Amino acid sequence: MADPKGFLKNGREVATRRPVDERVKDWHEVYPGKIGKTLLPIINTQAARCMDCGIPFCHQGCPLGNIIPEWNDLVWRNDWEGASERLHATNNFPEFTGRLCPAPCESACVLGINQPAVTIKNIEVSIIDKAWDAGYVKPQPPEWLSGKAVAVIGSGPAGLAAAQQLTRSGHTVAVYERADKIGGLMRYGIPEFKMEKSQVDQRLAQMRREGTVFRPGVDVGADITGAQLQDRYDAIVLANGSTVGRDLPVPGRELSGIHQAMEYLPQSNRASLGEAVPDQILAEGKHVVIIGGGDTGADCLGTAIRQGAESITQLEIMPRPPEERPDAQPWPTYPMTYRVASAHEEGGERVYAVSTKEFLGTEDGRVRALKLVEVEFIDGKLTEKEGTEKEIPADLVLLAMGFTGPEKDGLLTQLGVEYDARGNVARDDSYATSVPGVYVAGDAGRGQSLIVWAIAEGRAAAAAVDTFLTGSTNLPAPIRPTDRQLMV
């Protein structure tokens, strides 16, 4: 245990973001400099707040099974190299989770029963940023090659985690990505102000030196067929994500100016990195309405602010969550509470408990407004409240309501995989699909989820593939396909 009285002496401190009026003028991360460096003056004290509980529920809250008390103790003792080793023992990409994960481990922190939880996420990102700067993160190429080849389809967190684990086990791994650069949604879905792409690039450089082969710009299912993959590789890992955006089929949906968030965000990411984007969807000077109150909606909000939107309204059909943990969601579950992302600090209006009834358009077929109605729960069902209809202006509407599953045309049809009741790729307890030698990890099999679950699934699927190829494995399998977030 770091400091037996640390949780009594020190309060919770978190990273300080750059001033709003400064950060909305650029696309850099919202934290000054490198976030881990910024946090270093407070991190030893925060690590000392860890109680080294008899039963560390933070392990249960984290699907990766991060050994949090151990690296907290190492940080407190200024053993940053040891902390990096302990962190990497369970997490391939802590620089991603330390920036993008909503930290369910903190919701499960025992200190959180009656005090603010330990700042686990901030400590994590400090460890990895310090490790990169100090040269602790090195390639780990395999000592021998198995003679087996594996294709990983998709280069998001699940695909990259599976690829790194399998490469280090001695298999020849090729990662296929239809976009022109590797990284999946981390590359083109996550705005630069949340995670600069240099974080992705330095990890890819490590993986290349370990032996992983990357094949960007290849649309698997079109440029190469499922049958060709099966002929060329001994195993296939599907990590192609849940990419079909949920639509809103109400009158006026055909109007121009209504786009899925994943049409809008990738274009902005490319432009913010200096790439030319013909016919880019821009928010400049427009009344922007974002339908969906989650993280993707917040990403659209921060992006529209930086593009110079005239006004931004973010809509959510559910009621406004409470500020504190509700009684019906007791510790250590992950509570549905009111959260303020960095983008919410920057502007825009959040409107809860409303439903879109109709998109209203101009004579030339462009969206000009939304017709909304307030809703409430009656007998467990969302019901419209009479007399609450209203219109709000909208020149640009962004649909950020989540995703319904993987794209089925192309590769999945060619392979002939089966689907579960929710439309995801079905798999057994070993992540194997209905097709021999084909496995699935991440959102394609689980459905839309968090980055930490994707990495955990990639690691677990890699262990299953290694067993399939060699008869045994030493790779960890942190979760089962049926495991779910600790919630009520």
Side-chain angles (χ1 to χ4, degrees):
M1 185 173 185
D3 182 349
K5 296 183 178 180
F7 68 96
L8 297 173
K9 295 187 296 186
N10 307 306
R12 177 181 168 99
E13 291 183 86
V14 296
T16 301
R17 295 164 178 154
R18 291 191 288 145
V20 169
D21 60 352
E22 171 191 315
R23 71 192 196 224
V24 297
K25 296 175 183 176
D26 61 48
W27 294 94
H28 299 302
E29 284 190 12
V30 299
Y31 298 96
K34 188 173 283 189
I35 178 175
K37 281 188 174 180
T38 302
L39 286 163
L40 289 180
I42 66 170
I43 285 305
N44 290 77
T45 301
Q46 291 304 299
R49 299 181 70 233
C50 182
M51 301 164 63
D52 192 21
C53 313
I55 301 178
F57 277 81
C58 55
H59 291 192
Q60 180 67 31
C62 176
L64 282 166
N66 283 337
I67 313 168
I68 294 162
E70 292 191 17
W71 40 260
N72 279 341
D73 180 70
L74 291 165
V75 165
W76 184 74
R77 299 177 190 281
N78 281 312
D79 184 355
W80 291 92
E81 186 171 10
S84 173
E85 291 177 357
R86 216 73 199 100
L87 181 54
H88 279 99
T90 55
N91 187 353
N92 296 71
F93 313 123
E95 64 272 31
F96 304 161
T97 54
R99 286 170 167 82
L100 304 176
C101 180
C105 53
E106 293 188 14
S107 298
C109 173
V110 173
L111 188 57
I113 294 175
N114 58 9
Q115 291 187 42
V118 173
T119 54
I120 298 170
K121 180 177 174 178
N122 282 179
I123 298 169
E124 176 183 34
V125 78
S126 299
I127 295 170
I128 184 57
D129 282 0
K130 177 83 169 179
W132 280 113
D133 287 345
Y136 300 147
V137 184
K138 296 180 172 62
Q140 300 178 37
E143 295 181 359
W144 57 275
L145 295 178
S146 68
K148 303 292 185 180
V150 182
V152 176
I153 314 304
S155 65
L160 293 181
Q164 187 167 59
Q165 294 292 93
L166 289 167
T167 297
R168 290 175 174 178
S169 294
H171 307 301
T172 300
V173 180
V175 178
Y176 287 85
E177 169 59 57
R178 65 182 172 186
D180 59 344
K181 292 182 180 179
I182 297 295
L185 284 182
M186 293 185 297
R187 171 76 64 183
Y188 290 127
I190 300 297
E192 190 80 350
F193 58 80
K194 282 182 68 175
M195 185 178 73
E196 294 182 5
K197 301 310 170 282
S198 59
Q199 300 294 331
V200 179
D201 292 336
Q202 67 183 357
R203 187 60 76 170
L204 295 179
Q206 180 205 32
M207 293 180 65
R208 287 189 178 95
R209 292 178 65 187
E210 291 172 347
T212 302
V213 176
F214 295 108
R215 302 194 185 283
V218 179
D219 186 356
V220 178
D223 300 330
I224 182 173
T225 67
Q228 289 172 321
L229 281 178
Q230 289 174 301
D231 287 341
R232 187 177 300 179
Y233 295 95
D234 298 292
I236 299 170
V237 178
L238 300 174
N240 46 329
S242 178
T243 55
V244 179
R246 182 171 284 106
D247 211 339
L248 187 60
V250 300
R253 173 63 181 88
E254 74 285 353
L255 294 168
S256 63
I258 304 171
H259 302 275
Q260 288 284 350
M262 284 304 140
E263 298 176 70
Y264 174 67
L265 290 173
Q267 290 187 355
S268 175
N269 267 1
R270 290 179 180 275
S272 68
L273 294 170
E275 297 182 29
V277 181
D279 302 319
Q280 183 184 354
I281 303 166
L282 288 169
E284 183 178 3
K286 296 177 180 177
H287 297 288
V288 179
V289 175
I290 302 163
I291 302 179
D295 289 340
T296 303
D299 293 345
C300 291
L301 172 63
T303 299
I305 288 171
R306 284 161 177 77
Q307 290 181 349
E310 178 68 21
S311 71
I312 308 172
T313 307
Q314 185 177 9
L315 307 179
E316 170 57 55
I317 195 170
M318 299 298 288
R320 186 184 189 277
E323 299 276 352
E324 302 295 333
R325 180 190 289 275
D327 292 339
Q329 298 172 24
W331 175 89
T333 60
Y334 186 70
M336 300 302 294
T337 55
Y338 183 73
R339 292 180 171 87
V340 179
S342 64
H344 295 133
E345 298 173 340
E346 298 166 357
E349 180 184 5
R350 303 168 79 178
V351 180
Y352 290 89
V354 293
S355 177
T356 302
K357 293 198 70 173
E358 185 178 358
F359 297 111
L360 305 175
T362 61
E363 290 183 358
D364 61 353
R366 287 198 58 81
V367 66
R368 66 168 180 83
L370 270 68
K371 182 183 289 186
L372 305 178
V373 62
E374 295 180 17
V375 293
E376 60 183 340
F377 274 104
I378 298 178
D379 297 328
K381 294 183 179 180
L382 279 172
T383 307
E384 295 182 4
K385 297 171 68 173
E386 291 186 12
T388 63
E389 289 189 8
K390 63 178 180 180
E391 292 183 16
I392 62 171
D395 306 309
L396 173 62
V397 179
L398 302 172
L399 305 180
M401 303 179 295
F403 304 89
T404 61
E407 298 168 32
K408 297 179 174 59
D409 292 338
L411 175 63
L412 298 187
T413 298
Q414 292 169 7
L415 291 174
V417 297
E418 295 179 358
Y419 302 96
D420 63 20
R422 299 171 61 209
N424 302 313
V425 178
R427 68 264 184 98
D428 63 16
D429 289 343
S430 65
Y431 293 86
T433 71
S434 57
V435 179
V438 179
Y439 293 75
V440 61
D443 290 1
R446 170 171 293 270
Q448 178 186 337
S449 189
L450 304 177
I451 184 172
V452 69
W453 284 92
I455 296 173
E457 286 219 354
R459 289 170 64 86
V465 172
D466 190 35
T467 301
F468 169 74
L469 294 175
T470 66
S472 63
T473 187
N474 292 320
L475 294 176
I479 58 172
R480 299 165 298 181
T482 53
D483 289 341
R484 291 293 180 266
Q485 184 73 47
L486 187 62
M487 299 179 71
V488 292

